[in-house]
Amino acid sequence: MRILVINGPNLNMLGKREPEIYGTTTLLEIEKALFEYSKTFSGVELKFFQSNLEGEIVEKIQNALGVFDGILINPAAYTHTSVAIADAIKAVNLPAVEIHLSNIQSREDFRKNSFTASACIGQIAGFGKDSYLAALFCLVKHLEKQK
Ligand code: DQA
């Protein structure tokens, strides 16, 4: 099964960015950890994409149709603003899991609402790098049930 991993704005700055909230792990280290973890499942292939631009993320999701079986997405700040990304996930109708490094429910009020979560099959937040690994586990289990 082919899984597209999308990271939104400012996540390319992980490692340097607000380490007290997001830790010191870089995006490349997260992607490597996901890649290693993906080998523990049979036949799972990952492709990674990061963009700071909403339209690019929308296009990537649209182009996933017929190519990928599922999506892991940390929409970052677009979580709280983007009807367009939510609509794109609904449009392709691929199972997607929303990921956050931080626990968005325990932060500022504006982070508590997610526009994108309602388009996803679930959301995992608050476990740093492990949020990504847990999301991969859950998506693979979901896709296996669909077979
Ligand atoms: C984030 C949480 C968002 O509120 C924030 O804008 C981010 C990162 C997280 O992974 O914890 O950029 O998605």
Side-chain angles (χ1 to χ4, degrees), residues 7-11 14 17-18 21-22 74-80 98-104 107-108 110-112 124-126 128 131-132:
N7 278 286
N10 300 306
L11 294 171
L14 286 177
R17 175 192 180 201
E18 298 181 276
I21 297 173
Y22 299 115
N74 183 345
Y78 289 140
T79 304
H80 319 296
E98 180 171 307
I99 300 167
H100 298 287
L101 294 147
S102 63
N103 179 0
I104 56 174
R107 298 183 62 194
E108 303 97 317
F110 72 86
R111 291 187 205 275
K112 290 182 181 160
I124 298 177
S131 290
Y132 286 80

Side-chain angles (χ1 to χ4, degrees), residues 28-42:
L28 191 62
E29 287 166 343
I30 290 173
E31 290 176 346
K32 279 185 182 158
L34 264 179
F35 177 68
E36 287 306 316
Y37 187 47
S38 73
K39 292 186 203 163
T40 67
F41 306 98
S42 72

